[in-house]
Amino acid sequence: MSADTTSAIGPVEGARRYDVDNPAPLIEAPRKRTGKTPRSTRGNFEMAAWLFMRLSGVVLVVLVIGHLLIQLVLDGGVSKIGFAFVAGRWASPFWQTWDLLMLWLAMLHGANGLRTVINDYAERPNTRLWLKGLLYTATVFTILLGTLVIFTFDPNIR
Amino acid sequence: MPAGTLYRGREGMWSWVAHRVTGVLIFFFLFVHVLDTALVRVSPEAYDEVVATYKTPIVALLEYGLVAAILFHALNGLRVIAVDFWSKGPRYQKQMLWSVMAIWFVLMVGALYPVLGHAVREVFGS
C-alpha cells in the first residue's frame, strides 16, 4: 500500500479551486429557518400521544394483569368480590393509588385509542366532531366519577 | 369502506386489526366497570347485587373473553413497542407475533380453571 492510495483524489482532479484566500461561496440550506420563517402553528401533540400510548401501555400491563390476578384468579376468583372485599383493599393507600393510576392511565390510553379509530373511519368532519365530542365527554365523566369514588369511599356507609 | 383501510394482510395486518378490536372492546368494558364500581358510593347492597351478575355462568364466559382480549392486547402491545423501539424489531415482527400467540395460549389455558371453574361447578352441580 503506497501513500497515494489513501487519497482518492488524483493529482489532476485534486487541483484546488478554493483556498484560504479564495474561499468557496457559502450556500444556505434550502429550508434553513430564518427570522422571517413563520413559527410552526402545530405542536407535537401527535408525537406526545404516540409516546404516551407506549409508556402508559407498559405500566398498564403490570397494573391490569395484577388487577386481573387479584380479582379473577387468586383467593377464590370472582366469587369473593363484594363490598367487604372492596372496603378491605381500599383501606390501604397502596391499592388506592394502584387503582387511581390504573383508572387514569387506562381511560386516557383507551380514549386516545378510540380517537385514532374515529379519525380513521369517520370520514365526514361532522361525524368526527360528534363522535369525538361524545368520547371526550364520556372520558372526562368516567375519570372524574372514578376518582371521586376512590377518594370519597366510605366503608361505614351503612 | 373508507379509503386506506385495505392493507397487505398476513401477520402484520391481522395483529393490527385484532389490537384495534380488542382495544375498543376493553374500553367499553372499562366504562361499564367504572360505573358498576361507583355503586360502592350508593350502598353495599346495590354494589353486591350488581357484582352478583358477574358471578353468573354466562358472565363468567364473558369474563373469560375479557381476559382473552386484555392478554392479547397487552402482549401484542409489548410487541408493538419492540417493533418501534428495538432496532431489530421490524425484522422479527412475525416471530414476535407467534411468540405472543404462544404465551397467550398458555395463559388462557392457565386462566381456564380460575375464571370458569365456579361456573362449571354451578352449571353441572357438585
Side-chain angles (χ1 to χ4, degrees):
Chain A
M1 286 281 164
S2 66
D4 18 279
T5 54
T6 55
S7 168
I9 305 167
V12 177
E13 64 253 53
R16 288 191 173 174
R17 293 174 68 185
Y18 305 112
D19 54 36
V20 184
D21 303 315
N22 181 27
L26 220 95
I27 301 169
E28 245 184 40
R31 290 191 187 175
K32 192 175 176 187
R33 301 215 164 248
T34 66
K36 288 178 201 160
T37 312
R39 286 178 68 85
S40 169
T41 51
R42 292 187 308 170
N44 273 336
F45 177 77
E46 289 299 340
M47 199 270 268
W50 176 87
L51 194 61
F52 171 77
M53 291 308 264
R54 275 128 191 97
L55 294 178
S56 61
V58 173
V59 181
L60 279 168
V61 168
V62 177
L63 293 177
V64 173
I65 292 183
H67 182 73
L68 285 180
L69 220 64
I70 292 165
Q71 306 290 326
L72 292 182
V73 177
L74 301 175
D75 200 16
V78 76
S79 316
K80 64 174 180 285
I81 299 177
F83 186 84
F85 183 75
V86 176
R89 291 191 67 223
W90 279 352
S92 146
F94 177 80
W95 294 116
Q96 282 185 315
T97 313
W98 181 297
D99 286 354
L100 191 70
L101 192 64
M102 188 164 61
L103 169 77
W104 278 72
L105 288 182
M107 282 307 296
L108 293 176
H109 186 103
N112 190 53
L114 234 70
R115 182 184 69 90
T116 311
V117 171
I118 292 170
N119 280 340
D120 276 357
Y121 299 111
E123 286 191 281
R124 291 177 48 231
N126 243 328
T127 317
R128 275 204 300 278
L129 184 80
W130 281 103
L131 284 177
K132 281 196 259 184
L134 184 70
L135 170 69
Y136 297 154
T137 311
T139 302
V140 169
F141 171 78
T142 312
I143 290 179
L144 289 182
L145 177 71
T147 306
L148 188 82
V149 167
I150 292 174
F151 276 119
T152 67
F153 178 72
D154 175 11
N156 305 311
I157 189 169
R158 182 75 22 106
Chain B
M1 284 291 263
T5 50
L6 207 64
Y7 199 48
R8 293 197 288 179
R10 300 195 60 87
E11 291 90 340
M13 171 187 158
W14 292 113
S15 63
W16 173 84
V17 169
H19 203 76
R20 285 213 148 172
V21 172
T22 51
V24 172
L25 289 175
I26 295 164
F27 187 70
F28 286 151
F29 168 73
L30 177 60
F31 181 65
V32 175
H33 184 46
V34 173
L35 291 182
D36 70 54
T37 305
L39 287 173
V40 295
R41 287 299 293 130
V42 178
S43 75
E45 292 78 24
Y47 180 74
D48 287 345
E49 201 177 315
V50 169
V51 168
T53 58
Y54 278 108
K55 300 174 185 177
T56 59
I58 291 174
V59 181
L61 217 56
L62 294 176
E63 275 153 25
Y64 194 66
L66 178 72
V67 170
I70 288 175
L71 286 179
F72 175 80
H73 199 85
L75 294 169
N76 190 56
L78 294 176
R79 168 179 163 268
V80 169
I81 292 172
V83 168
D84 285 349
F85 289 103
W86 177 37
S87 58
K88 289 178 186 162
R91 200 190 308 165
Y92 292 116
Q93 62 96 3
K94 283 184 193 178
Q95 289 91 325
M96 285 196 290
L97 180 66
W98 292 113
S99 312
V100 161
M101 293 316 292
I103 300 169
W104 177 84
F105 183 77
V106 170
L107 291 176
M108 285 311 287
V109 172
L112 213 52
Y113 179 75
V115 178
L116 289 175
H118 69 95
V120 172
R121 277 192 298 277
E122 194 175 321
V123 173
F124 298 103
S126 100

